[in-house]
Amino acid sequence: MDILGVIFILGLTCYAMRAGGYVLAASMRDDGIAARFLRLAPGNLFIAFIVGGCLSGGLAGLVGTLVALVTMAVTAREWAALSAGFGAAIATSAIAA
């Protein structure tokens, strides 16, 4: 029974935080500094998470990431960017080994 209580409280807390976030976001002005900052947040978070993975992957990870970025910019297709990036990383890894 204790475990179910904890699960219920956790679910209620998550729902309250999400609902509160929607209420706050709806009350923000579209031209304010907070709104501009939040529009930049997804890109900043993406970069923060990706940089660590790219650097830990060594040269192959860096080359694969750069090829994927260029392919995405040129084709605007996720599948093409992923395929090219993985292919470049595998080729770089094979050449460097």
Side-chain angles (χ1 to χ4, degrees):
M1 200 59 168
D2 291 340
I3 293 174
L4 290 176
V6 169
I7 291 171
F8 177 76
I9 290 171
L10 180 63
L12 189 63
T13 303
C14 289
Y15 177 77
M17 290 179 72
R18 183 172 293 253
Y22 285 130
V23 169
L24 287 175
S27 67
M28 280 188 353
R29 292 184 0 210
D30 288 339
D31 60 344
I33 191 168
R36 284 186 294 181
F37 175 75
L38 289 175
R39 278 193 293 274
L40 294 175
N44 294 339
L45 291 173
F46 176 75
I47 296 299
F49 287 121
I50 295 302
V51 167
C54 293
L55 294 178
S56 69
L59 181 62
L62 185 61
V63 169
T65 302
L66 292 175
V67 168
L69 285 172
V70 169
T71 304
M72 185 65 186
V74 171
T75 65
R77 302 275 186 230
E78 292 87 3
W79 61 268
L82 286 171
S83 300
F86 283 127
I90 290 170
T92 304
S93 180
I95 292 169

